[in-house]
Amino acid sequence: MSVLELARPEIRAMQPYSSARMEASGGQTMLNANESAWAPPGDHSLGCNRYPDPQPHELVDALATLYGVRSAQILVGRGSDEAIDLLVRAFCRAGEDAIAIQPPTFGMYAVCARVQNAAIVEVPLAADFTLDVEAVLAALTPAVKLVFVCTPNNPTGQLVSQGDVERLATALSGRALLVVDEAYLEFADALSMAPLIDRYDNLAVLRTLSKAWALAGARIGSLLAREEVIGLLRRIMAPYPLPRPCVALALEALSSAGQAEARTHLATVREQRASMAAALAALPGVREVLPSQANFLAVRFDDAGEVYRRLLGAGIVVRDVRRYPQLGDALRITIGSTAENARVLTVLQDVFA
């Protein structure tokens, strides 16, 4: 059974929109897309008067090399959020199909499902925030077409092992597509699941340049999957998803110099994560600092609401995650610069003094 048989039949059968840039490129006089003949002020030779390549070859090849997949196995879009939305729209029939998630986890999986009117099967993480594979499999119904797994998980920071991913992929074969979200993997002591794509046709991996690569404002994310899945999603993707300035920024970040700078920042985040975790755990009003493999720490407080207000009053914005299951006393604190982290600790010491 092909993984495409899990997708909506009307999507498989549809004729995708054919953009002017898809139909013809490489000409010297481009008069097929109703574009302006003049570049805008401040263009800096980017050519923003012309529509961009839907999947810029240079960027796709650079990301394929970075993630260890073939260029045909990668779809680049506006952050991993776009890939999540495309997956739900392609695989879930409104009012009939469902996704499965393990709360507390990234909220966009559920948001995209609700927009599509797809049901949501929730299988809570264990008390220590680890994934219970047997519980997930036991909860699945025939309606579930997508199973999302976040590793490191947001907002708790724990990893899912390769063994658990492979158990899920094997059990879901012919039943559902397993989507592994690795948005924070660069901060972790773990390997990507991307090499498993050639072994499991029902496995897809989400990656992003928003976190470790410092391009949250450029909105560049990737889906890694079998070629047939990539081709399916391209049918329903916006014709020109990637602005030329964003592509230029991404290529600069992925250059040799850019990668060296990113590695330096990653080392700082890892070091600061360890020191922040120890310092926070020693504060009298802190109940627990959850172990994290991401660039944040989920912290339980005696009075999380008061801590949030005091931090905000000092000009420090952290994430209030008390609405998440099992995190009713917690805040999520991103690892910032050394000075920013020291400021957080200073304010918290004053709060608990």
Side-chain angles (χ1 to χ4, degrees):
M1 175 182 177
S2 167
V3 66
L4 292 188
E5 293 183 41
L6 299 170
R8 292 167 53 193
E10 63 271 26
I11 299 297
R12 300 201 307 267
M14 72 176 285
Q15 180 68 34
Y17 174 74
S18 181
S19 70
R21 195 61 71 240
M22 290 178 182
E23 291 177 352
S25 61
Q28 294 180 330
T29 304
M30 303 296 289
L31 301 176
N32 69 329
N34 303 330
E35 302 156 320
S36 172
W38 301 275
D43 184 72
H44 304 298
S45 300
L46 285 172
C48 286
N49 56 311
R50 302 295 182 185
Y51 286 113
D53 187 332
Q55 292 290 289
H57 299 298
E58 189 177 1
L59 177 59
V60 169
D61 291 346
L63 289 169
T65 299
L66 179 69
Y67 297 139
V69 297
R70 296 185 293 279
S71 295
Q73 294 177 318
I74 187 166
L75 182 76
V76 188
R78 293 164 289 195
S80 53
D81 293 344
E82 182 170 29
I84 294 167
D85 182 56
L86 290 171
L87 285 165
V88 174
R89 287 195 282 134
F91 283 85
C92 294
R93 295 166 296 176
E96 297 184 44
D97 293 323
I99 71 167
I101 60 174
Q102 306 87 48
T105 194
F106 184 43
M108 279 306 296
Y109 313 138
V111 169
C112 292
R114 292 188 179 101
V115 170
Q116 182 63 10
N117 193 25
I120 303 167
V121 175
E122 296 188 355
V123 186
L125 295 172
D128 62 353
F129 299 108
T130 56
L131 177 69
D132 187 336
V133 174
E134 295 306 320
V136 172
L137 294 176
L140 297 186
T141 67
V144 173
K145 295 298 188 293
L146 298 169
V147 177
F148 288 95
V149 171
C150 191
T151 176
N153 186 49
N154 175 19
T156 58
Q158 91 287 354
L159 287 165
V160 177
S161 71
Q162 180 173 321
D164 283 347
V165 169
E166 292 203 65
R167 286 173 63 200
L168 280 171
T170 300
L172 295 174
S173 180
R175 300 171 58 191
L177 184 71
L178 176 61
V179 185
V180 179
D181 189 344
E182 296 181 341
Y184 298 92
L185 189 73
E186 289 92 342
F187 303 101
D189 299 316
L191 298 176
S192 173
M193 304 300 167
L196 300 178
I197 289 170
D198 285 329
R199 193 180 310 171
Y200 303 99
D201 72 339
N202 65 326
L203 176 66
V205 175
L206 294 166
R207 299 299 296 265
T208 183
L209 299 185
S210 293
K211 313 298 182 184
W213 297 91
L215 287 176
R219 310 304 300 130
I220 302 288
S222 302
L223 178 76
L224 318 178
R226 287 288 185 93
E227 289 89 333
E228 54 265 36
V229 173
I230 299 301
L232 179 75
L233 298 189
R234 286 200 65 177
R235 291 174 180 233
I236 61 173
M237 194 176 200
Y240 306 109
L242 298 169
R244 288 177 182 267
C246 297
V247 172
L249 280 170
L251 288 172
E252 188 168 348
L254 295 172
S255 67
S256 296
Q259 292 198 35
E261 184 172 339
R263 285 193 293 270
T264 298
H265 294 158
L266 284 169
T268 299
V269 169
R270 287 166 175 254
E271 183 274 326
Q272 285 289 296
R273 182 179 66 197
S275 62
M276 280 289 286
L280 287 165
L283 294 174
V286 172
R287 293 177 179 172
E288 182 184 13
V289 179
L290 299 184
S292 174
Q293 287 283 309
N295 68 332
F296 56 79
L297 294 167
V299 186
R300 297 189 187 277
F301 293 94
D302 289 336
D303 189 345
E306 178 62 17
V307 170
Y308 182 84
R309 287 188 290 272
R310 293 287 293 274
L311 286 170
L312 189 59
I316 299 170
V317 184
V318 299
R319 186 74 157 175
D320 187 346
V321 295
R322 289 177 293 168
R323 67 188 182 279
Y324 286 79
Q326 305 182 59
L327 293 174
D329 58 354
L331 303 175
R332 191 192 68 192
I333 303 174
T334 302
I335 304 301
S337 68
T338 303
E340 288 171 334
N341 300 332
R343 174 67 175 150
V344 170
L345 293 174
T346 298
V347 173
L348 291 179
Q349 286 164 354
D350 290 342
V351 170
F352 299 132

